[in-house]
Amino acid sequence: MIVSPRARLRDKRKVSLVIDSSRKGVSTLVSETRLDKDYAKELTNMYLVEDGVATKRPGTAVWSTVTFDDPADGFSEFTKADGTRELIVVASGKVWRVTTTTKTEITGATFTIGTRCQFIQYRELLYIVNGVDSMAVYNGTDIDVYTGISAPAWDGTPLTRGAGLSTGNFTYYYQITAVNDVGETAPAVDGGGDFIEKSIAVDIVREDWDEADEYIQLDWADVAGATRYNIYVTDVSGNEYYLDTCTTSTYQDTGGPANPFQVPPDADTTTAPKVSHLWVSNSRLWGAGDPTKPQRVYFTGTGPSEGTNWAVGAGGGRADLQSGSEFTTVGGIDFQNKSHVFMDSANGDGSIWEIPIETETVLTETFDVPTPKKIISAIGCSSARSIVYVENDILYFNKKGVYVLGNEPNIANVLRTNELSASIRPDIIALSSIDKVVAHYQEGKVYFCVSSTTGEPDKTIVFDRERSAWINNWSIGFSQIIDFTDSSNVTHLLGIHGDHIDEISSSFQADDGVAFTWRYKSPRLPIVKDWKKFGKVIRAYIRLRNAQGNIDITISGTGKTAQLSSIASSTITPGNSNTGIGWDLLGSVQVGDTDGVPTFFSVESLIKYLRLSSTSNVLRDIQWEVSGDSVGDSCVILGLMIDAVSTEYPLALSDQI
């Protein structure tokens, strides 16, 4: 066959531009004219499936018909000893057992309304904290609040010497604390709030006492609810160390050694510490977020004290991280069998600490001592609820971005942080109420609920871990998200949405029955690689799967004399379209040119095209927009394509510099 020179020239100038996925997600860091075709300029209320094609996001529906007088402050699944599961909710200051149709109050504990609660199940108990009210514990039947005890008071009886001692040049100082099954009081205080210590002078140094008649007698008043008392001693006022424990309100110091690793507590833990975040690491319950001790971390003992007793003498303890600094503890997590604590600061820097527990021995006594180590500087966490396990890494939210804590590749026992959110960094920096961000990981996607204005989250950002892609704009947010498995072993993704609980599922096409708009917008892609040239667009194609409702298509482009503007638009209505579509002209746009037979579309691959008019088809670049705004509007966008030929128009004299 002989091909004419004109046809060969036309083939040489032919251009075919194809977008067949959005696998790189959204980028707002880079201008839409600089994005490559695998990014999207916008994926509002959409997410990625399969090999990175975009579709309408899951909707929500009310999971439980019950509502609360106030927005719920937190919820958790609780697995009872018999294997059954309950949904426990804190709302309106009370604790509730909630089903899809009922709510039952569990009396015994109240919480400050509007204060977020955090839950953790450990040793068949559900612990509930909020950093303000006393820690509560639910056992599947009842809920109890830890009740504190008073600090011991000296009963007025002076310290007395054994017969072998007399007054002299050696002065010793003592403090006493009371201990219950939960923790330890601070030492006795005077009316001004200062700790009281009692002292006595003797003529023989303690290390040389003969316990038969060389001792100091201590007496104090009994404390209701105390199981024992701890005694602290020193030869320097205000610098006491742990000496011994006893079960009665009298004690004889016979000169035994003190433990320099244990000092009197400066806060009462007999109600358990008032922390806002709990986690489990190495058979200990840990707590952080004490508003009165913002740099402090607490931990329980092990064995009989595991998860219950925070007192130092019971194997528990505390660690202060950069006391008096601008940093505050936010929360923590167990990572690689070590407790890791996240701190925040006003400028968003913060830090991450690793706290191993090491064993020290003084004579025959063995003590557990925390040895904090700062492992990451300048990149901490702003919200405890944003700390989430994602496979072998930890993701968390900082006011500067979303970061991952994990191993440095090819280097053993070295952790590092990297920012994951560079492509949407402008969106992260613009957010408000970073301390309220929550995260949840499910099926390869991390959901970050964030606040676009002050207050509780009102939108969701999604990190698609399988594709390392971000979707930055879902128009609904939740103050907490969890997985809940019902009595039929069906797992539901639930979120607190104000005064009620929603389920999130792709089975729902709306948010609580209200339609939302979804929209895909492509980058602005040049028609021809040589950006001096234009392309004459013959047809613009779209390929969809399972299109339902009305799918709106808009094509914009930059012409010879105009800036970016809409040049063609139409609506695909699969339920009453034609297989070959031959609709009449819509203004300057024709959609197809063949006849067809009416049919209802729900097909694997539905291909449509727009034909641009000769007055608007010469373009420097092009941009697609695909959207829907009714409950039944949905589709999977499989591909976008244009057929064009390259053409060249000389730059105008006015374009000369």
Side-chain angles (χ1 to χ4, degrees):
M1 183 178 78
I2 299 175
V3 180
S4 70
R6 183 183 296 274
R8 286 198 298 270
L9 177 61
R10 187 169 56 249
D11 290 343
K12 189 174 182 180
R13 292 164 49 202
K14 187 174 181 181
V15 175
S16 183
L17 180 62
V18 180
I19 297 177
D20 55 13
S21 82
S22 300
R23 60 185 179 84
K24 294 182 179 179
V26 170
S27 176
T28 56
L29 183 67
V30 178
S31 165
E32 61 185 8
T33 60
R34 299 287 295 172
L35 293 175
D36 72 43
K37 64 186 183 65
D38 289 326
Y39 276 105
K41 173 60 181 176
E42 183 181 344
L43 285 172
T44 295
N45 286 321
M46 304 189 78
Y47 73 134
L48 304 179
V49 294
E50 301 177 20
D51 58 342
V53 292
T55 189
K56 182 179 180 180
R57 70 160 168 88
T60 67
V62 173
W63 179 81
S64 175
T65 57
V66 304
T67 59
F68 304 98
D69 295 335
D70 304 278
D73 290 318
F75 66 165
S76 175
E77 178 181 284
F78 176 69
T79 302
K80 302 175 70 172
D82 62 3
T84 59
R85 289 171 292 274
E86 299 175 336
L87 186 69
I88 306 300
V89 181
V90 175
S92 301
K94 301 175 182 179
V95 184
W96 307 87
R97 187 184 296 111
V98 176
T99 71
T100 55
T101 57
T102 64
K103 63 179 180 181
T104 305
E105 183 182 353
I106 308 171
T107 59
T110 58
F111 293 91
T112 301
I113 297 174
T115 305
R116 282 185 165 191
C117 292
Q118 192 247 346
F119 306 73
I120 187 168
Q121 183 169 347
Y122 189 48
R123 300 186 72 180
E124 298 183 352
L125 298 172
L126 184 66
Y127 294 82
I128 310 174
V129 296
N130 66 0
V132 175
D133 303 297
S134 295
M135 185 182 298
V137 180
Y138 175 60
N139 62 11
T141 303
D142 304 309
I143 190 165
D144 295 314
V145 175
Y146 286 132
T147 302
I149 59 176
S150 301
W154 297 105
D155 64 359
T157 304
L159 302 182
T160 57
R161 306 175 190 87
L165 296 176
S166 59
T167 188
N169 296 325
F170 303 102
T171 302
Y172 294 100
Y173 305 84
Y174 295 87
Q175 287 184 334
I176 310 296
T177 64
V179 179
N180 64 3
D181 291 334
V182 177
E184 182 178 4
T185 69
V189 296
D190 61 19
D194 296 323
F195 294 128
I196 299 173
E197 58 183 8
K198 277 199 170 184
S199 63
I200 191 169
V202 295
D203 59 340
I204 302 174
V205 68
R206 284 183 76 253
E207 289 79 3
D208 295 336
W209 289 354
D210 182 345
E211 65 180 41
D213 61 356
E214 295 172 353
Y215 57 84
I216 300 298
Q217 178 77 32
L218 293 77
D219 295 281
W220 58 92
D222 287 334
V223 174
T227 58
R228 54 191 173 86
Y229 304 90
N230 288 344
I231 298 91
Y232 298 83
V233 66
T234 184
D235 58 1
V236 178
S237 177
N239 196 34
E240 284 84 359
Y241 297 108
Y242 175 79
L243 174 62
D244 202 357
T245 190
C246 63
T247 57
T248 61
S249 55
T250 183
Y251 179 79
Q252 285 186 354
D253 174 14
T254 57
N259 175 16
F261 298 104
Q262 184 175 338
V263 298
D266 57 4
D268 185 353
T269 56
T270 60
T271 59
K274 291 183 179 179
V275 295
S276 59
H277 193 252
L278 295 171
W279 68 99
V280 175
S281 180
N282 279 326
S283 300
R284 298 176 189 269
L285 193 58
W286 293 72
D290 180 346
T292 65
K293 303 290 180 182
Q295 289 86 36
R296 181 162 294 179
V297 181
Y298 301 89
F299 55 89
T300 66
T302 57
S305 301
E306 182 179 340
T308 59
N309 203 313
W310 304 82
V312 175
R318 64 188 187 275
D320 291 311
L321 312 178
Q322 292 184 250
S323 295
S325 69
E326 73 276 24
F327 299 103
T328 58
T329 60
V330 171
I333 200 166
D334 177 82
F335 188 52
Q336 298 180 344
N337 296 318
K338 295 177 184 177
S339 188
H340 289 78
V341 180
F342 293 80
M343 301 190 79
D344 191 22
S345 59
N347 64 0
D349 286 346
S351 57
I352 304 175
W353 293 70
E354 183 178 277
I355 309 183
I357 303 292
E358 298 182 355
T359 301
E360 301 287 348
T361 301
V362 177
L363 297 181
T364 59
E365 296 293 326
T366 300
F367 301 91
D368 293 331
V369 180
T371 55
K373 299 183 295 184
K374 184 189 289 187
I375 60 171
I376 304 292
S377 296
I379 302 296
C381 177
S382 302
S383 172
R385 282 191 175 180
S386 74
I387 304 169
V388 60
Y389 285 108
V390 180
E391 306 300 336
N392 296 319
D393 295 318
I394 303 295
L395 268 60
Y396 62 95
F397 219 91
N398 179 285
K399 69 184 300 181
K400 299 177 181 180
V402 179
Y403 288 82
V404 57
L405 173 67
N407 288 301
E408 183 68 25
N410 304 317
I411 301 178
N413 302 318
V414 175
L415 298 180
R416 55 88 183 100
T417 58
N418 288 325
E419 184 188 0
L420 293 180
S421 57
S423 63
I424 59 165
R425 189 182 297 142
D427 299 61
I428 301 293
I429 294 174
L431 294 173
S432 301
S433 302
I434 299 296
D435 61 319
K436 295 184 181 296
V437 175
V438 302
H440 184 76
Y441 177 59
Q442 186 194 65
E443 296 181 356
K445 293 178 175 63
V446 186
Y447 302 92
F448 291 100
C449 294
V450 300
S451 303
S452 58
T453 58
T454 57
E456 291 295 326
D458 60 355
K459 61 181 292 185
T460 301
I461 295 173
V462 180
F463 176 61
D464 189 324
R465 181 183 176 275
E466 294 171 345
R467 302 167 185 86
S468 295
W470 286 93
I471 295 92
N472 67 331
N473 192 16
W474 287 13
S475 60
I476 189 169
F478 306 92
S479 58
Q480 190 181 352
I481 302 178
I482 65 169
D483 290 316
F484 176 71
T485 304
D486 63 23
S487 57
S488 301
N489 287 323
V490 176
T491 299
H492 305 266
L493 183 61
L494 302 183
I496 294 177
H497 194 206
D499 63 355
H500 66 279
I501 296 170
D502 275 343
E503 181 174 4
I504 308 157
S505 171
S506 56
S507 300
F508 309 132
Q509 294 292 307
D511 287 336
D512 291 355
V514 178
F516 56 84
T517 296
W518 55 268
R519 181 168 47 252
Y520 162 84
K521 186 177 285 188
S522 76
R524 284 174 59 181
L525 298 173
I527 304 296
V528 183
K529 290 183 179 180
D530 183 346
W531 43 265
K532 301 192 308 296
K533 297 183 178 181
F534 290 79
K536 182 178 289 187
V537 179
I538 308 303
R539 289 179 178 177
Y541 299 88
I542 183 169
R543 182 185 178 202
L544 305 175
R545 173 188 299 142
N546 296 335
Q548 302 175 46
N550 298 314
I551 313 301
D552 296 322
I553 314 295
T554 299
I555 295 178
S556 301
T558 303
K560 291 181 290 182
T561 59
Q563 296 300 312
L564 181 72
S565 60
S566 173
I567 56 174
S569 63
S570 189
T571 299
I572 297 176
T573 307
N576 47 24
S577 298
N578 299 323
T579 52
I581 55 176
W583 298 330
D584 294 332
L585 287 175
L586 303 175
S588 60
V589 181
Q590 182 180 3
V591 186
D593 59 1
T594 58
D595 295 327
V597 179
T599 184
F600 183 84
F601 283 106
S602 181
V603 295
E604 180 70 15
S605 179
L606 171 65
I607 300 175
K608 301 286 185 179
Y609 68 86
L610 292 168
R611 175 176 288 174
L612 278 62
S613 72
S614 60
T615 60
S616 61
N617 68 348
V618 178
L619 303 172
R620 190 186 301 278
D621 56 33
I622 193 168
Q623 186 174 51
W624 283 267
E625 183 178 306
V626 184
S627 64
D629 56 15
S630 297
V631 172
D633 299 348
S634 65
C635 68
V636 181
I637 303 173
L638 298 179
L640 301 159
M641 180 186 296
I642 63 166
D643 284 338
V645 293
S646 173
T647 186
E648 186 168 1
Y649 288 85
L651 295 174
L653 185 61
S654 60
D655 295 323
Q656 181 177 344
I657 300 174

